[in-house]
Amino acid sequence: MSLHRRTLPLSTAVLAALVLTSCSTPASTGSGADAPANPATTADRPSEAGTPTSADATDRQEVDGLAPRAVLTYDGGIMAVDTETGDVLTNTESEGFLRLNEAGDGRHVLVSAGKEFRVFDSGLIVEGHGDHDHYYEQAPALTGSTVEAAEAGHVVAHGGKTALFADGSGAISIMDTSAFEDGRIDADEVESFSTDDPHHGVAVPLTSGDLLMTQGTADSRSTVQVVSPEGELLAETTDCPGVHGEAAAMPTTAGDVVSLGCENGPVVYRDGEFHKIHVDEPYQRSGNQFGSHESPIVLADYKTDPDAEQERPTRVGLIDTHASVMTTVDLGSAYWFRSLARGADGEALVLTYDGELNILDEETGAVLHEVEVVAPWEEPEEWQSPAPTVKVGTDGFAYVTEPSAKKLHVIDVAEGTLLDSFDLPETPVELAVVTGEGRHGHDHADGEG
Amino acid sequence: MNVLSRPILVLPVMAALALSACAPPSDPADPDGTNSTSMTVLTSFYPLQFVVERVGGDTVEISSITPPGAEPHNLELSPAKVAELADASAVVYASGFQAAVDEAVVQTAPEHAIDVADAAQLSTAGGGTAEDDDAGDPHFWLDPERLGDVTDVVAERLGELDPQNAVEYAANADKLNQELSTLDEDFSTGLATCERRTIVVSHEAYGYLTDRYDLEQTGVSGIDPEAEPAPARIAKIRRVIEGQDVTTIFTESLVNPKVAETLAADLGVTTALLDPIESHADTSGDYLDVMRGNLSALREALDCA
């Protein structure tokens, strides 16, 4: 490091110091005289009191704590909202149908947009300082960095890695989740893999360093594999027709546990091999699964009608991934794939058509809380259309969109209370919530693709 | 002038620099260094300034790298400050607390850089910097005993640099150590019998203090002294303090009465000031005064006998 990079007076306090000593500069510039200060290199350093650090600097300022930010898509753009004040922090026009995925670092969100993933910076920054953290905020924005992906599909952040799947090519791009810190992904930060054929698939980076991925074609997919970094096939199941939906559960001592949905009951990867979950129905699809690092149970939708145009189940599945059994809970009201989520302690959350957020004990299926959040609603005909969406931040609060009222609601899951409701300027479609704190596990849902 | 290779001499001009910022600081107009006995010592932040002031007495000219009242963690150094550092007779700092100072010390390589991090027995191993995620807690001065150990090291090193006054430095250090011992005893007895032993703080800076006096610290982030907290923020704070049996949340700066009222109404707690003494405003008395202020705030909050 060269000293001159750190020698700009960056705060009012230091400016004051400079003023006091400025008349001594003829003799005191010795270390810096031959090295002009470089403003750009200071942009990554926080200023003391919220003053901009340089011409290139952001509006970054230190705060006492971070208010989680909701990133929402609408028809024509992306908005970011402070979930404590309801303030709309940014509103960016962006074409196409946009899907949102957490990058996994607690700060960045990946926007799937056709042929690429775009990196969106929520502006929530945590810096470790000894045994505690300091917090900074800046304006949210697309960073301009993209990762190419033909038919950009699923994003899975797991075990410190983030995997991006391109349905149109079967290309898998894997990077350290921490690589998002600077807001951009460079070619040398990406490890590339590929499935045999393009298909609507998913890849999960396992903590062992191995990679779990689906195999199939555009017409048919029923295989899940685990391969080593050298490409060796370590485990495989071919008994997962229509594979879709995956979630990681609490690991065992032998490693990661991942559940996947099939059309003949789920399959679970555990202890290095695949285990089929028994279901009573000949056709049973749990194409949307939601895991928690805190729990062996995975929450899933539960569909049983192979011929339905649009099945509206009222039952959800609770997959005990360690015991390889699934139970169901009938909520008496339907839900859709965007209205399922997990609480910080593993609770199963289901927002049903009656407008209630059902908070279940995932072990017993017992209802802990029923919170009236939104007006009664129904699933739209197109999965891309707006309807209530539930996400849980690492803060343990649930965030629920209500497109018909253009609202965002905040629910304390542990207490079962509606804390706040905010008006939105646009009709929200997709939702991601970041808190500044990264996630340990992951989950994802998907359009009915 | 070549800052890196110029030998560090105790020159009268150096003393003049501290007294008058407008003097040409590095022109060795008087290389013979006649008869002045005073040294210019730069200290990196307030508690070290306090120690050097007490140990050095009138024979040492002291200036602080961190401007009065400024937040020291993310300090940036101006070229003038770096040059001052290079020109000082000695620099007293704690590595790992202020990255900019650590770097400036490495860069300017002052011959007499007195790093007190070892003496303070920081709870970090391996000498990380404040920028590292795994750096340990730097706030050693909140344990008077550790500050006493630092005092001894400062006196010893100043005595080596300025043997003429070594005896005085040692005597001053003994006197300060007695006062620190008294302070330590006051804390021990003052916090011996209390209704509660957990303090909830907005900045987890008190690990050395709570370790020494058998207290527990819990951090709660997100109390903005100025802005009324949102229901979600209140709910989060409640989660932290729930079951903790606390009546007070300690903040670093005075909380706006309206914010305090909201917290009191929603959570049933009051707020009080606990000063981590990272920086210092002239009006607040010296280290010992601020520590005694902290002691009374703790005694009141913990309901000590």
Side-chain angles (χ1 to χ4, degrees):
Chain A
M1 119 107 228
S2 56
L3 183 65
H4 65 269
R5 294 189 172 185
R6 295 286 168 96
T7 52
L8 276 193
L10 296 178
S11 69
T12 46
V14 172
L15 271 178
L18 242 200
V19 168
L20 291 171
T21 59
S22 61
C23 41
S24 68
T25 50
S28 61
T29 50
S31 61
D34 60 341
N38 178 354
T41 59
T42 60
D44 61 343
R45 291 178 57 79
S47 67
E48 233 164 68
T51 31
T53 51
S54 77
D56 285 351
T58 59
D59 56 343
R60 174 193 272 219
Q61 59 180 314
E62 183 158 10
V63 293
D64 297 284
L66 296 176
R69 291 180 171 180
V71 180
L72 304 116
T73 61
Y74 59 91
D75 185 8
I78 304 170
M79 53 190 169
V81 174
D82 180 313
T83 66
E84 290 189 359
T85 63
D87 292 342
V88 178
L89 306 167
T90 193
N91 195 336
T92 309
E93 286 186 14
S94 199
E95 289 302 312
F97 183 70
L98 308 172
R99 305 210 60 196
L100 299 178
N101 312 274
E102 285 182 49
D105 65 346
R107 170 174 172 182
H108 293 93
V109 173
L110 291 167
V111 184
S112 314
K115 60 186 194 328
E116 64 190 17
F117 291 97
R118 298 174 192 155
V119 181
F120 184 89
D121 181 1
S122 71
L124 296 179
I125 303 157
V126 178
E127 286 184 0
H129 179 236
D131 55 357
H132 63 284
D133 295 323
H134 284 231
Y135 306 99
Y136 304 86
E137 289 179 348
Q138 64 190 30
L142 284 164
T143 68
S145 179
T146 60
V147 178
E148 273 185 49
E151 295 175 43
H154 287 316
V155 173
V156 173
H158 184 248
K161 302 258 186 196
T162 301
L164 316 184
F165 197 95
D167 291 353
S169 62
I172 301 165
S173 304
I174 299 183
M175 58 222 70
D176 287 343
T177 302
S178 59
F180 287 95
E181 184 173 358
D182 60 2
R184 51 178 303 115
I185 294 300
D186 299 312
D188 62 358
E189 292 175 319
V190 178
E191 281 182 277
S192 296
F193 299 88
S194 182
T195 57
D196 297 339
D197 295 293
H199 66 284
H200 179 53
V202 68
V204 182
L206 302 176
T207 49
S208 60
D210 303 322
L211 183 65
L212 181 149
M213 61 184 176
T214 54
Q215 291 283 11
T217 65
D219 299 324
S220 153
R221 50 179 203 267
S222 54
T223 298
V224 189
Q225 296 176 335
V226 174
V227 294
S228 74
E230 295 74 34
E232 188 192 350
L233 183 64
L234 301 174
E236 182 181 61
T237 174
T238 55
D239 187 19
C240 189
V243 56
H244 191 270
E246 53 70 39
M250 177 191 281
T252 65
T253 51
D256 293 328
V257 176
V258 179
S259 171
L260 298 110
C262 318
E263 287 169 355
N264 59 351
V267 68
V268 168
Y269 175 74
R270 184 188 70 238
D271 300 338
E273 53 191 26
F274 287 97
H275 305 265
K276 194 68 183 172
I277 306 293
H278 170 79
V279 290
D280 292 331
E281 302 86 352
Y283 175 94
Q284 192 282 322
R285 186 176 190 271
S286 289
N288 299 283
Q289 305 203 357
F290 302 83
S292 164
H293 208 73
E294 309 301 317
S295 164
I297 310 294
V298 164
L299 169 68
D301 60 349
Y302 200 93
K303 292 186 174 176
T304 55
D305 182 354
D307 304 317
E309 222 14 51
Q310 193 172 44
E311 189 176 348
R312 297 183 171 185
T314 57
R315 283 191 296 169
V316 291
L318 296 172
I319 305 166
D320 185 333
T321 59
H322 290 197
S324 298
V325 290
M326 174 152 63
T327 54
T328 60
V329 177
D330 197 325
L331 297 165
S333 181
Y335 57 90
W336 78 324
F337 75 99
R338 284 199 177 93
S339 61
L340 305 178
R342 297 301 291 274
D345 293 330
E347 304 97 322
L349 274 57
V350 186
L351 183 78
T352 41
Y353 284 7
D354 55 12
E356 285 183 356
L357 182 65
N358 301 271
I359 301 171
L360 312 181
D361 179 323
E362 80 284 8
E363 300 273 354
T364 64
V367 176
L368 302 172
H369 304 284
E370 291 168 309
V371 191
E372 284 182 27
V373 180
V374 300
W377 58 283
E378 282 198 8
E379 179 174 348
E381 283 183 21
E382 300 287 335
W383 69 263
Q384 295 93 337
S385 301
T389 298
V390 181
K391 295 285 178 181
V392 175
T394 55
D395 57 354
F397 289 178
Y399 298 85
V400 176
T401 61
E402 184 171 18
S404 63
K406 288 205 216 177
K407 280 189 183 295
L408 175 69
H409 305 283
V410 185
I411 294 99
D412 185 334
V413 173
E415 300 289 322
T417 51
L418 178 63
L419 289 172
D420 238 331
S421 298
F422 301 108
D423 291 322
L424 299 170
E426 307 286 349
T427 302
V429 182
E430 291 244 329
L431 167 67
V433 178
V434 285
T435 61
E437 182 194 346
R439 288 199 190 263
H440 297 298
H442 71 281
D443 54 53
H444 87 259
D446 180 63
E448 300 298 290
Chain B
M1 144 193 135
N2 186 332
V3 171
L4 297 179
S5 61
R6 196 175 59 73
I8 304 292
L9 296 175
V10 182
L11 299 177
V13 161
M14 300 299 165
L17 170 62
L19 294 171
S20 161
C22 288
S26 59
D27 179 11
D30 185 5
D32 295 336
T34 54
N35 58 359
S36 171
T37 55
S38 73
M39 299 197 296
T40 60
V41 178
L42 262 185
T43 55
S44 63
F45 56 95
Y46 174 71
L48 296 181
Q49 180 189 331
F50 167 74
V51 167
V52 176
E53 277 172 358
R54 293 294 305 267
V55 170
D58 294 335
T59 53
V60 170
E61 295 292 345
I62 296 152
S63 69
S64 178
I65 297 174
T66 303
E71 215 282 333
H73 289 313
N74 300 317
L75 183 72
E76 301 280 347
L77 297 185
S78 65
K81 271 288 170 204
V82 174
E84 258 188 75
L85 198 118
D87 289 345
S89 314
V91 177
V92 182
Y93 74 113
S95 60
F97 183 50
Q98 293 165 292
V101 173
D102 291 355
E103 282 161 14
V105 165
V106 168
Q107 187 71 21
T108 61
E111 199 174 331
H112 303 300
I114 304 176
D115 181 359
V116 302
D118 282 349
Q121 296 177 54
L122 295 188
S123 61
T124 180
T129 72
E131 297 289 292
D132 293 343
D133 285 348
D134 57 353
D137 182 355
H139 307 89
F140 65 85
W141 55 90
L142 295 168
D143 172 357
E145 191 180 58
R146 284 172 203 267
L147 196 63
D149 294 341
V150 166
T151 299
D152 288 338
V153 166
V154 167
E156 194 183 311
R157 296 293 304 274
L158 290 184
E160 286 164 17
L161 295 184
D162 178 17
Q164 273 186 43
N165 293 305
V167 173
E168 185 193 334
Y169 297 148
N172 288 344
D174 282 349
K175 181 158 184 301
L176 175 56
N177 261 324
Q178 280 167 24
E179 290 177 58
L180 290 171
S181 290
T182 307
L183 180 72
D184 180 41
E185 280 159 30
D186 291 349
F187 266 83
S188 292
T189 51
L191 298 172
T193 313
C194 306
E195 290 291 309
R196 294 170 285 279
R197 301 212 74 82
T198 298
I199 61 170
V200 174
V201 295
S202 65
H203 176 191
E204 283 174 85
Y206 304 91
Y208 294 109
L209 188 147
T210 53
D211 280 356
R212 181 145 185 87
Y213 304 112
D214 194 26
L215 303 175
E216 295 282 337
Q217 107 176 308
T218 295
V220 56
S221 69
I223 298 175
D224 183 335
E226 295 302 321
E228 241 183 293
R233 191 64 68 97
I234 294 270
K236 278 172 203 173
I237 296 168
R238 169 178 289 124
R239 188 165 304 164
V240 172
I241 66 174
E242 223 161 33
Q244 296 269 20
D245 185 25
V246 295
T247 58
T248 307
I249 297 176
F250 287 107
T251 55
E252 275 184 78
S253 51
L254 275 178
V255 167
N256 173 319
K258 183 118 200 228
V259 177
E261 273 169 34
T262 306
L263 291 170
D266 289 352
L267 301 172
V269 296
T270 55
T271 64
L273 208 58
L274 200 59
D275 190 341
I277 329 186
E278 293 183 340
S279 58
H280 181 245
D282 286 339
T283 50
S284 52
D286 68 9
Y287 166 87
L288 295 164
D289 298 326
V290 179
M291 282 297 276
R292 287 189 200 287
N294 284 343
L295 176 57
S296 3
L298 288 169
R299 282 179 47 78
E300 186 172 338
L302 300 176
D303 219 346
C304 302

